[in-house]
Structures are given as structure tokens and as C-alpha cells.
Amino acid sequence: MTAPTVGPPGRRESAGRAVVGLVTGRRTSWVVLGFWLVAAVVAAGFASRLGAVQDDEGSPLPAGAESARVLRVQTSAASDAPLPAVVVYTRPTGLTETDRGKLAADARAFAQRTDLGGTVLGPTLADDGTAAQLVVPLDLGPDPFDRVADAVGAIRQTARQDAAGMTVYVAGPAGSLADQSAAVSGLDGRLLLATVAVVVLILLVTYRSPVLWLLPVACAGLALIAAQAVVYLLARYAQLTVTADSGAILTILVFGTATDYGLLLVARYREELRHHRDPHDAMGLALRRSTPAVLASAGTAAAAMSCLLLAELSWTRGLGPVLAVGVLTALVVMLTAFPALLVRCGRWVFWPARPRYGGADIGAGASTSSGAAAAARSGTEADDSAVAGAGAIGWWNRIGRLIARRPRATWLATSLAFGALALGITQLDATGLTSSESFRGSHDSVRGEQVLARHFAAGVGSPIAVLSRPDQAERVRATLAAVPGVEPGSLTSTELRSGQAYLEATLTDPADSRAAYDTVDRVRTALRAVPEAEALVGGETAVRLDVQRTARSDRNLLVPIVVAVVFAILVLLLRSLVAPLLLVGTVVLSFGAALGASVLVFRHIFGFTGEDSSLPLYLFVFLVALGVDYNIFLMTRVREETVRHGTRRATLIGLAATGGVITSAGLVLAGTFAALTTLPLTMIVQLGFAVAFGILLDTAVVRSVLVPALSLDVGRYLWWPHRLFREADNA
């Protein structure tokens, strides 16, 4: 057989070797670390200002949405359309004359506020005499989120002073916004502590070293600072929408992905240290061998997340670049700063299980069924870490042999089990969360809304708003009053400075209820019968309804796009059509199982009555973008081994060789997302649990059982139409 001619390396390969040499060189590695030290100092200044550019109050709707058009007019005429704070007073035995005097005094005090956007309404007593309300219209400017907590706090303090046994709440849009502000206050710090604790615990168990865990955690922290700085600059100068939710997800995503990439690199580095006396040489080879899989993983995740740029909801559209920046920043830091730091530390950083030059070859042990036992029996030549690694490989060898006995039955049974879990989707209610469901725990505005619902028209404080031509205002008023679900006696009207007639009306149902949404639809249908009025329907209920429908539209658009993008990247990576098709199919199946199981947990364990309207899309993007990573780690190793061993044997080798590191990586990423469940925001809790559960499914079942079983059953056809399909020996 003629030996292949070896030519000079291409430009891309030469550039790659140059970068690797820079990162791992004896002198240049210090330069790399110095650069990142300076970059961290500079980036920290920008990262600390990220909270200042977060927009948690603005409408996420596209400019053409009907309720968004109304909101723009309301915002431009804030004194005509203020932010109402509804002060609720209640005494179960009935309000006394003294109580009524207190309410009148509070009304006079609220009327003296300098931030009023209109006339204080009330006090209005309930029919049963046990409750009353005051509506305080606030004008907090174009960005009320930063001021609402102080304003509502002052109102609450005034109302509760000398209340003499009355129970007082502040509800309405202002009260709800104030509770939201309190819920996200300090969120980043709490989440960061929880995330770091999870990562440190898993790394201590994985590495069994009191020192090694410090390096990936430090580099993950560096990546987070750099990512936050880039996101701040994009929000400040490129109008990127950043919310508290996206900032929280950025934190756990950067820590999770950075640690995953670090685990993969450390595994390769430890292996090469047994073949090279010089750590610089070992790191150079480890970096070259692990970089393609890491680049493919990060590129796939970033590309899938960037698809969110096509969304109509601004917070979904903004989330895509935020997450892509996080993944790519983690990639750069973990392929430059982390290997440079590792190589400067040398072998001692693995203490007490330091890999020794000439020790047992765990990677080679994975290539034969007896390799693990051989590594464990290697006596003086094998170090402690080698023996530990051999045990792990032996475990994955046994799993591989079990799957190989009946691969078709294995993947069929696994698919049926996933399908059964996916049936839970039938209980999915993604029509959005009500105000009371949006927060975990008890909140002042939620309790106030419950009192209002028992004693007054449920929509008080969140009226429906209608804009029309002034000459048609009376017809619009009459039409609106006749719509079921609208309180006829609650209609108020005025002419705005924009030259448009403005009408408000109270809904008979809670503003965030399904019944209220139906009323909005009825109002819109009725007003279309007056075409010359050019009426637009808005208000809090209309905004919520339009957000739900836009989220559904985004989901229907983006899901097939994300699938197509990931499939195309896998085709380029694996140079096959069959393997990418199977991998994407397994991840989509895993998504269905994760969503179905999560809905059942939400309904029967957490007690949630519904899901956030954006949850299905976010979960799909995360699980496809991150779940396919582990398939990439596995299949790139299988493809590498197929050249020498054929597809069947390569599958078993790939499973054994990558089993330990991928399991650790999956636990880290699942653990970081699980940290989201500690927060008081229901949507974040739902996303954190569902993603963590889905990643565990991907790690423990999809990558460990389903994909290997499919690969063994399909055999060499996995690589069709690449020449590997024809050349691989699959005997």
C-alpha cells in the first residue's frame, strides 16, 4: 500500500498552530494571561453598568401591534394615561366612621404628591362596607421602573400610618410593577452565588482535587465579566434590548458552557500529560485535538440562539445576541486564558491525582474491551487518576456492550418512553402567567388584587383603552358600552393633545384573565364595525393578549428555522446527511419529553396553573442548541475512530472515551440552570427546571443510549453520502 503524500500545512492549519503556540508557549502564555488581566480590569467597568441599560418595563411588542400603537400615544401624553396605584383598605367587620375619615385624609395627602398624573379617584366603598379603594394616578416619566418602588413605598407608608387595624395593600399596575422591581433587585448577586456554588461542588466531585476547580471557575468568571461588558456596549450603542431575565440567563449560560469547555480540555490535557514529559507540548496537542469539537459546539449553540433575532417580541429578539455573546465569549476565554493558565501551573494542579509521564493510557484503554482492566492492573506505571479513569471507562464499556446486543430494540424502547413523557404537553397552557402567578411567594399587589376581585369590578386599575377619531367618539363610546364584559358606567373620555379621542373603560373580569382577553377580542370586533372611527384598542389586557399571540407567532416561525440551521451545521461538521438527521431527531424528541414531563411537574408538584407564553420557544432553542453539543462531542470522536475501526467499533470507543467528561459537563450545565429555580420569578423557575431536566435527559439517555443504539443499528449508512460510508469496515 502506497503511503500518502504529506504536503505542507494549509493556511488555516498554520494559523491554528500559530494560535496554539501563542497560548501554550513558555513565554507567550504569560503574554496571553497578561492580556486577559488587563481586559478583565477594563471590562469590569462596563460590566458593572449592565443593570443601567436593562429594560424591564417597556413593551416588547412590534411597533405595528395595535396595543403598542395605543401605548405610544399614552406614553407621549403621560398625564392623560398615567400609571395607576390602587390603594386597597379592608376590615372584615366593616369600615368604621374613623376608617372613612382616614381614607378621606389619605386622599387629600395623595393629591399633594408632585408625581401625580391626574386626579385621585375615591375613596370608593364596596357594597358590603368591608373594603374601599383609592386610585392614585402616577406620572413617573418614560422609564417608571426605576422610580416605581420608591413611589409605591411612600404611598404604602402613608396608607398604613394610623390605619388602626385596617389591612392595606397597594395594587394595580403600579403596585405590580413595584413588586416586580423588588423581585429582581439583587437577583444577579444571588444567582451568581448559587451558580458558583453548584459549579464548585460538581468540579470538586469530578476532579477530586482541592486546587484544580479554581482554574475553570476563575476563567468562567472572567468570561462572564467580558460577556457582560460586550452586552452592555451593544445595549448602550446598538439598541439591544436587555432585561433582568436575559441578564440572569447570561450568568448561568456563561458559567455552564465555560465549565463544559474546560472539562473537555482538561480531559484531553490529562491524557496527553501521560505521553509528553513537557506540559507545554501536552497542552499544545490537547488544544489542537479538542478545539474542533469545542468550536463546533459553540458555533452551533451561537447560531441557533442568533435565530432569535428574527423574533417580533423585542425581549426574545434581544435574548438571541445576549446568549450568543455569552457562548462565544466563553469559547474564546476557555481556548486562550484557560489553557495558558493550566500550562503555567503544570502537573501539580491535579494534586493529589497527578498524571505521570508514561502512566496508563486511558484513551487507549477505551479502544479495547480489556483496556480499562489493563489500566487498573498497570501497577507502578499507573497513577491514581489513571485507575479512577479506568473504572469510569469500564463502566461505559459495559453500557456499550449492553446496547450492542440489541440496538434496535434499545432505541425503539427509548423512543417510546420519550413519547410517553411528551404526552404531558397535552396539559400545556402557554397562554401566559397572570400577575398572581408571575411571582413565587406572597406579594402585596397580588393580595390587593384578590381583595379587589372580591369587592369591586375586577378590572379596576387596568382599564381597556381606545383611541379613535374625535368626530366618531360618541359612536365609539356607545359601541364600547354595549360590549359584554365592559362596565357601562365606567367609561371616561377625553381628547388628547395628539388630536385623538381617548376612552377608558373598566372590565368586569380580572385584567389578566382569559375572560378579559375574550372581552378585548369582542371590543375589537365591535369597533371594526365602525370603520370610519379608525379605532385602536389597547391597555394592559390588550398588551398581554398581543404578547401571547406574538409569542405564538415567533414560535411557529423560529422552531423550523433553528432546526434547519442546526442540521446544516451538523452536515458541514460530519459531512453526512444521515447522521445529522438522526442527531437532530433525537434532540427534538428529547425536547418533547422534557417539555411534557416539566408540565406535569409544574402542574402536580409546583402547583403552577399555567406556563409563560415564551417557555416552549426558549426551551426548544436551549435544548437544541445545548443538547446537540453532547452529540457533537460524541459523534466527532466516533467519526475520528471510524476511519481506523469501522462504525460499530468506533461507536463503542467513542461512548467509552467521552462518557465520563460528557456526563460531568451535562451535570454542570444542568446544575447551573437548576440554580434558576431559586429565584422568585415563575417564568425563570419554569425555564430553569425544564432546561435542567432536558439536559439531564440528553446526557443520561440521548447521548448514552439513544444515539449509540441508532449508530449501531444504522452502521456505515450513518456516514452517507460521504466516502466514509463506502470505505468503513463495519464487520
Side-chain angles (χ1 to χ4, degrees), residues 195-213:
T195 303
V196 171
V198 169
V199 171
V200 169
L201 177 62
I202 295 175
L203 289 180
L204 281 172
V205 174
T206 300
Y207 289 144
R208 299 184 182 91
S209 167
V211 181
L212 183 56
W213 65 270

Side-chain angles (χ1 to χ4, degrees), residues 216-230:
V217 169
C219 289
L222 171 61
L224 178 60
I225 292 173
Q228 289 175 332
V230 174

Side-chain angles (χ1 to χ4, degrees), residues 215-494:
L215 274 61
V217 169
C219 289
L222 171 61
L224 178 60
I225 292 173
Q228 289 175 332
V230 174
V231 170
Y232 165 77
L233 293 173
L234 290 175
R236 179 70 175 81
Y237 299 105
Q239 287 74 53
L240 175 67
T241 300
V242 182
T243 66
D245 291 350
S246 59
I249 296 171
L250 176 67
T251 298
I252 55 97
L253 180 67
V254 170
F255 259 88
T257 54
T259 306
D260 276 6
Y261 301 152
L263 284 165
L264 190 66
L265 181 60
V266 167
R268 281 281 191 171
Y269 181 45
R270 187 195 294 268
E271 182 179 336
E272 296 302 330
L273 282 173
R274 300 188 181 93
H275 300 289
H276 298 82
R277 193 181 303 275
D278 188 342
H280 297 274
D281 295 336
M283 177 56 76
L285 190 56
L287 194 55
R288 286 197 296 272
R289 288 183 172 178
S290 58
T291 293
V294 174
L295 284 175
S297 169
T300 303
M305 293 168 179
S306 296
C307 292
L308 295 178
L309 280 167
L310 300 175
E312 289 191 275
L313 287 178
S314 62
W315 55 35
T316 301
R317 187 168 60 250
L319 184 62
V322 169
L323 301 183
V325 165
V327 170
L328 295 178
T329 306
L331 168 74
V332 173
V333 171
M334 300 311 286
L335 290 184
T336 55
F338 184 57
L341 189 59
L342 268 177
V343 80
R344 293 317 320 173
C345 292
R347 297 175 188 269
W348 70 267
V349 77
F350 291 92
W351 183 86
R354 290 183 292 178
R356 300 177 184 175
Y357 173 64
D361 186 352
I362 298 304
S367 301
T368 63
S369 59
S370 60
R377 291 196 303 266
S378 57
T380 58
E381 290 187 321
D383 50 54
D384 293 338
S385 64
V387 175
I393 288 176
W395 164 258
W396 290 109
N397 269 326
R398 288 192 291 273
I399 291 179
R401 288 197 298 271
L402 286 174
I403 296 172
R405 292 176 183 172
R406 302 186 65 183
R408 183 167 302 175
T410 299
W411 70 257
L412 282 173
T414 305
S415 299
L416 288 173
F418 274 33
L421 287 177
L423 292 176
I425 296 178
T426 57
Q427 295 191 29
L428 177 70
D429 180 10
T431 56
L433 300 169
T434 65
S435 297
S436 61
E437 295 167 339
S438 296
F439 307 105
R440 300 184 71 190
S442 181
H443 294 269
D444 194 69
S445 64
V446 174
R447 295 193 297 271
E449 294 290 350
Q450 293 169 346
V451 174
L452 286 173
R454 289 196 299 268
H455 296 282
F456 300 95
V460 169
S462 301
I464 193 171
V466 178
L467 293 176
S468 72
R469 289 175 50 183
D471 59 336
Q472 298 293 321
E474 286 306 316
R475 289 185 64 190
V476 169
R477 182 187 184 95
T479 302
L480 183 60
V483 175
V486 175
E487 286 282 346
S490 68
L491 270 71
T492 60
S493 61
T494 185

Side-chain angles (χ1 to χ4, degrees), residues 602-619:
F602 296 156
R603 206 66 78 247
H604 303 292
I605 297 179
F606 284 96
F608 299 149
T609 58
E611 285 71 45
D612 186 85
S613 54
S614 296
L615 176 66
L617 175 60
Y618 288 178
L619 179 62

Side-chain angles (χ1 to χ4, degrees), residues 511-522:
D512 51 9
S513 65
R514 182 71 260 173
Y517 299 149
D518 292 340
T519 300
V520 170
D521 281 334
R522 287 194 295 269

